[in-house]
Amino acid sequence: MTAIAGCDNQKKHYFSISCITAGFVAVLVGYSSSAIIVYQAAMAAGASAAEASSWLWALGIGMGLSSIGLSLYYKVPILTAWSTPGAALLVTSLSGIPLSDAIGIFVICALLVVLCGMTGVFAKLMRLIPLPLASAMLAGVLVSFGLNIFVAFDSSPWLVASMLISYFIVKAIKPGLAVPAVLLVAIGYCAWFGEMAMSQLQLNMAAPVWTTATFNVQSIIGVGLPLFLITMASQNMPGIAVLKGHQFDAPASPLITTTGITGLLLAPFGGFMFNLSAITAAICMSKDVCADKSQRYWATVWGGVFYIITGLLGATVVSLIGAFPMELVTALAGIALLGVIASSLSSALSEKDQLEAPVMTFLMAASGLTFFGISSAFWGLCVGLLVYRVNARRKLG
C-alpha cells in the first residue's frame, strides 16, 4: 500500500506524513528557541558537561513519555514542554546555589504542581475563562511568530519566498502536505546553496546523572516559588487555553498532575520543570495537520517520539539546530502557525457584543510585557476577564 498523505487513510493515520512532520516541527521549534537557555541554566547551577547533558536527557525523556502517554490516553493533541520562562529565571537565579540545592528546588516545585493538580484548583480557575478570551490570548501569543516570517524575509528573502510559495501552492492542492512541503523545500534550498553547517554536527549520546537533592529554605522561597508561579501562569494556563481554544476536551487536573509527577521522577537527573505546551502544541492542532480533528493527537504522539530521540542524543541536538539557518526555523514556525492564528482570531471575535474584551486580551498578550516575572499571556487573560465581566454586568444593568 502506498504511503499516506495527510489522514486520508484512517487505517494508517499514525503514519500520516503531515502528523509526523507536525510533531517534528513542534520539537524543532521548541528546542531551537530555548535549548541553549536550558544548557545555560545547568551551567549557572555549576553542572558539569555530563550533568548538563543529563538535564537535556531528563527533559527529553520526560516530555516524550508524558506527551505520548497523555495523547494516547485522552485521544487529544497534548504536548508537554519544559518551562522556558523558568529556565530563563534559573539562568539568573542559580548562580552560587549548589547543584544539590537546585535539585531540591525542582523537587519542591514538582510537589506543588502535583498538589495544584490533585486539589482541582487549577481546573476551577480555567473554567472561568470564556472561549473568545482563550482564543484571543492564543492569537496574541502566536502573532509574533507570524510577523517573524517577514523579519526572516528581510535577511533571507529568497529562502522565505520559496517557503511561502510552496506552502500556498501545496495547500491549494493537498492541505495536509503543505508544511511538510515547506520543510523539504527549505532544506533543499539550504543544502543547494550551502547554507547548512553540517560540518559542526557531533554525535554524542546522553546518559542520566543522579544528583541527590538537598533542601535550602531560602533557595526554595527565593527561586522555587517564583519558578512555580511563572510556570503555572505563563505555561500551564496558556497550555490549557490552547486546548480550550481548539475545542479539545481534556480535564485540566490530571494533565497538570501528570506534569508534576514527571518532574518528581526526573528532578534528580535535572528535569527542572515540566508543563503543558502552548505554542508548539498549537502546531499540532490545525486543520493542516489532519482534516479529521479526532486524529490530530497522532501529531503530538510523534512529537513525543522526537522528544525521546533528542533526549537520548542530549547536547547533540544543540549542534543539529545550529546547522539550520535561523531564518529557516523562524519562518517555518510562523508558516506552520498561520492556520492557527487565523482560526484563533476568528474565534476571538465570534461574540459581536463582546469585542473589546478579546481585543484587549489579544493586544496585551501580543505586547510581550512582563510584570513580576509573569508573561503577558497571563496578564492578557486578566485584563480581558476584567473587561468581559464589566461589559456583562453593564448589559445586565
Side-chain angles (χ1 to χ4, degrees):
M1 187 173 289
T2 57
I4 323 193
C7 291
D8 294 338
N9 188 334
Q10 292 303 308
K11 292 182 179 180
K12 288 189 177 181
H13 47 254
Y14 41 85
F15 282 134
S16 161
I17 296 174
S18 56
C19 286
I20 295 172
T21 304
F24 175 78
V25 171
V27 172
L28 174 64
V29 171
Y31 267 79
S32 64
S33 63
S34 56
I36 295 296
I37 299 176
V38 173
Y39 190 82
Q40 290 173 335
M43 293 296 100
S48 64
E51 288 165 337
S53 179
S54 176
W55 282 37
L56 291 169
W57 175 89
L59 292 166
I61 297 299
M63 294 185 300
L65 293 178
S66 56
S67 295
I68 293 171
L70 290 171
S71 297
L72 290 176
Y73 185 80
Y74 289 106
K75 302 294 189 291
V76 166
I78 299 168
L79 198 69
T80 60
W82 59 56
S83 173
T84 300
L89 171 72
L90 295 177
V91 171
T92 59
S93 304
L94 287 183
S95 180
I97 294 178
L99 181 60
S100 60
D101 283 0
I103 299 300
I105 291 170
F106 304 161
V107 170
I108 295 299
C109 284
L111 278 172
L112 291 174
V113 172
V114 171
L115 289 174
C116 191
M118 293 183 68
T119 57
V121 172
F122 189 78
K124 292 176 183 177
L125 290 174
M126 290 305 303
R127 282 196 288 268
L128 300 176
I129 301 174
L131 177 59
L133 298 191
S135 299
M137 184 220 68
L138 174 60
V141 170
L142 299 183
V143 70
S144 63
F145 287 83
L147 294 174
N148 282 339
I149 296 174
F150 303 99
V151 174
F153 186 90
D154 185 51
S155 56
S156 294
W158 294 111
L159 168 62
V160 178
S162 66
M163 295 170 70
L164 284 170
I165 292 170
S166 62
Y167 173 77
F168 287 111
I169 290 176
V170 178
K171 186 174 175 64
I173 302 170
K174 192 71 175 178
L177 293 178
V179 175
V182 171
L183 179 60
L184 289 176
V185 167
I187 293 176
Y189 178 96
C190 293
W192 181 265
F193 289 100
E195 295 185 16
M196 295 183 69
M198 301 304 293
S199 59
Q200 298 180 8
L201 287 178
Q202 293 183 349
L203 183 62
N204 293 311
M205 299 295 291
V209 178
W210 174 280
T211 300
T212 301
T214 56
F215 302 95
N216 181 285
V217 175
Q218 185 177 358
S219 297
I220 291 170
I221 295 174
V223 181
L225 288 182
L227 177 62
F228 167 74
L229 293 173
I230 286 173
T231 300
M232 295 302 291
S234 299
Q235 301 290 109
N236 281 327
M237 185 170 285
I240 292 293
V242 168
L243 287 167
K244 186 174 183 178
H246 284 84
Q247 300 181 31
F248 284 109
D249 185 21
S253 292
L255 302 186
I256 300 301
T257 302
T258 299
T259 62
I261 293 174
T262 304
L264 276 176
L265 294 174
L266 293 170
F269 304 103
F272 65 89
M273 204 66 172
F274 296 90
N275 51 254
L276 298 176
S277 171
I279 294 171
T280 51
I283 293 173
C284 302
M285 295 181 186
S286 72
K287 293 180 180 179
D288 290 345
V289 173
C290 185
D292 186 352
K293 180 181 175 182
S294 67
Q295 299 300 319
R296 292 176 199 165
Y297 70 93
W298 285 107
T300 50
V301 171
W302 278 105
V305 172
F306 290 120
Y307 269 147
I308 292 173
I309 293 172
T310 53
L312 293 174
L313 293 175
T316 303
V317 176
V318 178
S319 66
L320 175 62
I321 294 168
F324 292 106
M326 187 51 63
E327 290 83 0
L328 185 156
V329 177
T330 300
L332 183 63
I335 291 171
L337 290 166
L338 281 177
V340 180
I341 296 171
S343 61
S344 297
L345 287 172
S346 177
S347 177
L349 302 176
S350 60
E351 295 185 12
K352 300 304 179 184
D353 57 344
Q354 275 281 15
L355 294 179
E356 293 88 353
V359 168
M360 289 297 293
T361 299
F362 170 78
L363 293 174
M364 184 65 182
S367 70
L369 291 176
T370 301
F371 296 111
F372 306 111
I374 299 176
S375 73
S376 58
F378 172 79
W379 297 115
L381 281 177
C382 292
V383 171
L385 277 171
L386 178 61
V387 176
Y388 193 93
R389 300 304 176 194
V390 168
N391 286 344
R393 287 191 177 184
R394 186 175 60 193
K395 290 169 186 175
L396 289 175

